[in-house]
Amino acid sequence: MAQDVAITNAKLVIGDGSAPVEGGTVVVRGGKVAAAGRGVAVPAGMQVVDAGGRYVTPGIFAGFTRMGIVEVDAVGPTNDASAGNALFNAALDVAPAVNPRSTPIPINRAEGITRAVVAPEASKGSIFAGQGAVIDLRSDLHPVSRPRAFQFMEYGESGAQLAGGSRPAAVAMLRNIIAQLRDFARNPASFAERGKDSFLTRADAEALTPVVQGKVPLLVHVERASDILVLLDIKRETPALKLVLVGATEGWTVAKQIAAAGVPVIANALTDLPVSFEQLAATQSNVGRMQAAGVLVGIGTINDDEARQARLEKQYAGNLVALTRVPGATGLDWNAAFAAISSKPAEALGMGESFGSLRPGRVGDVVVWDGDPLEIGSLPVKLFVDGVEQPLTSRQTRLRDRYWTPTEGALPKAYQR
């Protein structure tokens, strides 16, 4: 059950890019933020938590992960990110596969992550990977906040291989599928399965139709500048498409075009060495330069141990602040950096009215920190998801406590000599 709680005497961070409010209060009622700011009255009889002047922020909204669907990458039975032998692609839905008892979930919760975007991984035969979800990191068995929240697609080098070996093949596949979807939307009853050479099954068509109609966002992994421009052209051809770029290592070189198209980006924060030919223009200034050009940018962790290490986002955001003090580099100020791991990813997915900040009406995801949340050593001392206080322990903390000060006879038999 959601708690009604007021957190007072806080260095309050709303998460929308505004500066922290000293002596602030946030009131959570029925699992949602009722009020936040300076001079907010605390309703009579409500539980009160005195923050003691500490930072109080919205929970971190991890912009791109595979948390909860991958335990051990190379052990197939624990990896539900992709389905290379399935008959379906776009129709695949990660929501039923999310394991709330996956080991990384309590670890990331203990570092301030309260929501996460969970995306499938594309497999052979199609550039479309399937339908992703937004999850919460509560310690219960119901982790999915928004099932089928977006469709995920690969382009660039990965998409080229999935489509048959080249970028022209990937573009042809995408345009062909859009054309088929328009036919399907006009008359679903007339759609027939088109055999082994078809790009679409009926289930895939049903999953993709809301995407081309602009009802469901399309997240596309893309890194190279020229590939980004191709996707912007496709968006112009299909104006309803709610395109979101993921990765976008070379985004800074075409930031004006991205901004003009009104396309948001979920970027890796600190990619500065090219690990592929599509990332030759990599720079740590990518996020800062895109934001300076007017692009809405949130932070994610695609191809960065995204099944386990979303917790690193707060460190990355802190490093973006540090970049503002490096000659020739472009980073983010503290307020913008925190927004890049809270409200901005939620806004990129069209969910800013529900998640990512402490504005009234948003979910009651609130974290009380023991220090600056963008400093690497800072940790939560209290954390609420949907207004419910959550444990800050994990298997790692229990192992630490067990062996921190072992006493004679307390070790398991195998350790005795």
Side-chain angles (χ1 to χ4, degrees), residues 7 9-13 20 22 51-57 334-335 338 366-375 378-382:
I7 302 172
N9 191 20
K11 188 168 186 176
L12 184 64
V13 177
E22 298 288 349
R54 297 185 181 96
Y55 278 92
V56 174
T57 73
W334 194 100
N335 307 318
F338 194 87
V366 189
V367 184
V368 182
W369 300 83
D370 63 7
D372 182 337
L374 301 189
E375 291 291 337
S378 297
L379 290 169
V381 296
K382 280 187 177 294

Side-chain angles (χ1 to χ4, degrees), residues 100-111 137 392-395:
R101 289 180 175 162
S102 179
T103 305
I105 286 180
I107 295 170
N108 283 274
R109 180 176 65 233
E111 299 241 13
L137 273 66
L392 296 174
T393 55
S394 67
R395 184 172 183 272

Side-chain angles (χ1 to χ4, degrees), residues 268-287:
N268 282 21
L270 297 174
T271 303
D272 65 340
L273 293 174
V275 297
S276 66
F277 285 103
E278 61 184 357
Q279 294 178 300
L280 295 179
T283 171
Q284 292 188 7
S285 294
N286 184 38
V287 170

Side-chain angles (χ1 to χ4, degrees), residues 12-334:
L12 184 64
V13 177
I14 301 300
D16 57 1
S18 58
V21 175
E22 298 288 349
T25 295
V26 56
V27 174
V28 177
R29 187 189 291 276
K32 296 196 173 180
V33 177
R38 187 185 289 112
V40 170
V42 177
M46 181 172 281
Q47 176 191 355
V48 177
V49 174
D50 186 345
R54 297 185 181 96
Y55 278 92
V56 174
T57 73
I60 294 171
F61 188 104
F64 189 96
T65 80
R66 292 192 168 103
M67 200 186 314
I69 59 172
V70 179
E71 192 75 24
V72 182
D73 296 56
V75 179
T78 74
N79 187 336
D80 286 307
S82 63
N85 296 319
L87 297 175
F88 308 103
N89 295 290
L92 298 174
D93 178 4
V94 302
V98 177
N99 177 15
R101 289 180 175 162
S102 179
T103 305
I105 286 180
I107 295 170
N108 283 274
R109 180 176 65 233
E111 299 241 13
I113 312 291
T114 58
R115 306 273 161 176
V117 172
V118 178
E121 186 174 353
S123 52
K124 62 182 180 181
S126 178
I127 56 178
F128 289 101
Q131 301 168 97
V134 173
I135 67 168
D136 64 62
L137 273 66
R138 290 173 57 157
S139 59
D140 60 27
L141 294 177
H142 306 285
V144 179
S145 306
R146 294 276 181 93
R148 299 171 297 281
F150 59 92
Q151 178 71 219
F152 181 62
M153 183 190 118
E154 284 281 355
Y155 189 57
E157 290 181 4
S158 297
Q161 295 306 308
L162 292 165
S166 72
R167 286 174 171 84
V171 173
M173 177 180 282
L174 179 56
R175 288 197 164 108
N176 184 289
I177 286 174
I178 291 173
Q180 289 185 30
L181 290 170
R182 286 173 177 151
D183 291 342
F184 178 79
R186 279 193 292 268
N187 190 0
S190 69
F191 185 89
E193 305 291 356
R194 304 186 183 190
K196 65 180 182 179
D197 295 324
S198 174
F199 288 130
L200 290 175
T201 64
R202 174 176 288 276
D204 289 336
E206 289 173 346
L208 285 171
T209 297
V211 175
V212 298
Q213 292 174 338
K215 298 176 182 178
V216 173
L218 176 63
L219 273 61
V220 182
H221 177 213
V222 60
E223 304 287 0
R224 198 169 78 179
S226 61
D227 293 336
I228 292 171
L229 294 179
V230 169
L231 291 172
L232 297 184
D233 285 340
I234 289 172
K235 176 171 170 52
R236 278 190 285 273
E237 296 168 8
T238 313
L241 200 65
K242 290 184 178 177
L243 179 65
V244 181
L245 307 180
V246 178
T249 296
E250 295 190 348
W252 67 276
T253 67
V254 288
K256 290 181 180 179
Q257 292 93 320
I258 298 172
V263 172
V265 175
I266 298 174
N268 282 21
L270 297 174
T271 303
D272 65 340
L273 293 174
V275 297
S276 66
F277 285 103
E278 61 184 357
Q279 294 178 300
L280 295 179
T283 171
Q284 292 188 7
S285 294
N286 184 38
V287 170
R289 290 174 181 173
M290 284 195 290
Q291 180 178 279
V295 179
L296 189 160
V297 189
I299 293 176
T301 52
I302 189 168
N303 295 336
D304 187 15
D305 202 3
E306 66 269 26
R308 285 165 285 272
Q309 300 292 357
R311 64 194 184 93
L312 296 178
E313 286 193 7
K314 63 190 183 77
Q315 175 185 340
Y316 295 162
N319 288 351
L320 289 174
V321 177
L323 277 182
T324 62
R325 296 189 286 273
V326 176
T330 305
L332 300 177
D333 65 31
W334 194 100

